[in-house]
Amino acid sequence: MAAIPADPPRRVVICGGGVVGACTAYFLSTHAAAPTVPTLFEKCAPACAASGKAGGFLALHWCEFTPPLLALARASFALHRRLAATLDGATAYGFRPLHTLSICAPETGPGSPHPLLPSWVDPAASAAPPRELSTPDTTAQVHPGLFTKAVLAASGADVVIGEVERVVVRDGRVAGVAVKGRDGSVVEADAVVLALGPWTSRLEVTRDLGVSALKGHSIVLRPREPEKITPHALFFSYQPEPGAKMLSPEVYPRPTGEVYISGINKDEDAPDDPATSTIELDAIAMLHKIAGKVSSHLKTEEGAEVVVEQVCYRPWTTDRLPIIGELPGVKGCYVATGHGRWGILNAPATGAALAELNLNGKAKTVDLAPFSPGRFLNR
């Protein structure tokens, strides 16, 4: 077992109120040997960006061709189950196992009814027999916004609405953060965790990490008969018309009776403020078209209610691996971003490993070496 530092950090500041920041706060505050309640700064509101607008899909083994990511996903999937048991996840944030199917939508003409096809999905939505991707043993879901807020509340963190402008470094060690509107005063800290999603690279200390943004649209509908919607996550292959780009929409029913639909993405810089993100009407229209093709229950002209039409920006890295670890050259400054589409899934293991690294000097939940920020800075 790694030796615990003689003077573990007690003043921890987390920058970012998304799912990664929330999970880091939780595992810091529940650390067995040195529980530490952090201060968390968030510019907008907890879960105001991708963490509140993602699908919340969880998979145990879908990263099998990327071993480091698979290890992170397996550890995190187990932690999701543990957190659900501890925090009453089924009630608090819609945690539940579910079946997962792959469906190829036909270009034209009738589809193919099949016993695997859920009763609420129109037979015409499937051009061939659906394929079972996973069972409830290996896939599950949460409502991402409710999950983020529940974990953050359970951490007891001091949540402050404010924009961190700069990480203060003295003699190669983090000293705190400067927050906009505080007349240059510094919030002192022994450790700082930067979990700002695609905004992480906008700070001076992390500008060389090259975290980019993927803009993704989604809609949430309430079907006219929500009790008929069964727990089946659906992954579609859909070509809107001959010669058009193939789309990969995803459909996630939630225990509340709502249905989340996404799959229109593109590379685009994130705005300075998540609250100013703007939707593109053609992308939203395409998602409604897809929803109607999936099921008559999801057609607004037949009674489905539009709960929300939204957009968010997910953080990506050039090698498609997240960045998790201490920033080389700045002792006590930790980075956690770049999780792409797997941010909700991998946040618990990321938070647990960062808490261990911070308080024990070494992460044991998962090997963080493949995710080190140094792989970009050493270039």
Side-chain angles (χ1 to χ4, degrees):
M1 178 181 294
I4 298 176
D7 187 19
R10 290 294 178 180
R11 298 175 301 172
V12 180
V13 167
I14 298 173
C15 305
V19 68
V20 173
C23 286
T24 302
Y26 177 85
F27 285 104
L28 281 168
S29 68
T30 58
H31 188 276
T36 301
V37 178
T39 298
L40 185 146
F41 285 93
E42 166 55 48
K43 179 177 180 177
C44 183
C48 69
S51 296
K53 300 175 181 178
F57 179 73
L58 313 176
L60 175 65
H61 54 61
W62 281 32
C63 304
E64 59 186 345
F65 297 111
T66 309
L69 205 54
L70 177 61
L72 184 68
R74 286 185 176 277
S76 218
F77 192 84
L79 284 174
H80 267 291
R81 285 182 167 169
R82 194 180 91 186
L83 286 169
T86 302
L87 302 178
D88 188 18
T91 300
Y93 52 82
F95 175 87
R96 67 174 177 182
L98 75 172
H99 292 275
T100 304
L101 302 176
S102 172
I103 297 175
C104 180
E107 292 183 14
T108 58
S112 304
H114 190 274
L116 272 181
L117 204 64
S119 58
W120 57 275
V121 177
D122 295 347
S126 179
R131 182 166 59 94
E132 186 169 57
L133 298 176
S134 296
T135 68
D137 291 332
T138 57
T139 49
Q141 70 179 147
V142 297
H143 184 296
L146 296 179
F147 172 71
T148 300
K149 293 173 184 178
V151 172
L152 185 56
S155 76
D158 180 18
V159 178
V160 180
I161 301 302
E163 180 183 356
V164 172
E165 291 186 309
R166 178 170 56 92
V167 176
V168 180
V169 181
R170 300 177 186 140
D171 300 322
R173 172 178 285 275
V174 75
V177 296
V179 181
K180 189 174 183 179
R182 296 201 175 195
D183 298 324
S185 63
V186 174
V187 179
E188 300 287 336
D190 302 296
V192 172
V193 178
L194 303 177
L196 294 162
W199 292 273
T200 303
S201 286
R202 299 190 183 183
L203 294 174
E204 184 178 358
V205 294
T206 48
R207 64 185 177 186
D208 293 330
L209 295 182
V211 181
S212 60
L214 184 71
K215 183 179 185 179
H217 287 81
S218 59
I219 59 175
V220 179
L221 304 174
R222 181 176 295 279
R224 62 180 188 271
E225 297 178 285
E227 69 279 0
K228 293 187 176 181
I229 309 300
T230 57
H232 288 80
L234 309 177
F235 287 75
F236 276 83
S237 297
Y238 173 61
Q239 189 175 35
E241 56 187 39
K245 177 184 176 182
M246 185 68 72
L247 302 178
S248 301
E250 301 170 12
V251 179
Y252 305 133
R254 290 173 171 167
T256 56
E258 299 172 345
V259 179
Y260 174 97
I261 303 156
S262 66
I264 309 296
N265 305 308
K266 71 174 184 178
D267 295 321
E268 182 178 294
D269 290 340
D272 290 338
D273 187 344
T276 64
S277 301
T278 57
I279 63 173
E280 297 174 21
L281 296 180
D282 58 343
I284 296 299
M286 177 57 71
L287 289 174
H288 279 291
K289 179 179 179 181
I290 291 168
K293 190 170 185 65
V294 170
S295 173
S296 57
H297 290 271
L298 304 181
K299 292 181 177 180
T300 55
E301 60 269 29
E302 295 191 26
E305 173 193 352
V306 178
V307 178
V308 68
E309 299 169 337
Q310 59 193 4
V311 67
C312 66
Y313 293 82
R314 296 181 176 91
W316 286 90
T317 62
T318 53
D319 62 6
R320 294 300 187 255
L321 290 179
I323 302 170
I324 313 168
E326 191 171 33
L327 192 66
V330 187
K331 189 69 177 174
C333 184
Y334 303 90
V335 183
T337 187
H339 291 74
R341 63 178 302 191
W342 295 115
I344 306 299
L345 167 64
N346 287 328
T350 297
L354 279 179
E356 294 159 357
L357 183 61
N358 196 320
L359 300 174
N360 292 5
K362 183 177 177 61
K364 67 177 183 179
T365 294
V366 67
D367 178 15
L368 292 181
F371 311 118
S372 171
R375 72 186 194 272
F376 296 105
L377 303 181
N378 291 336
R379 294 176 183 175

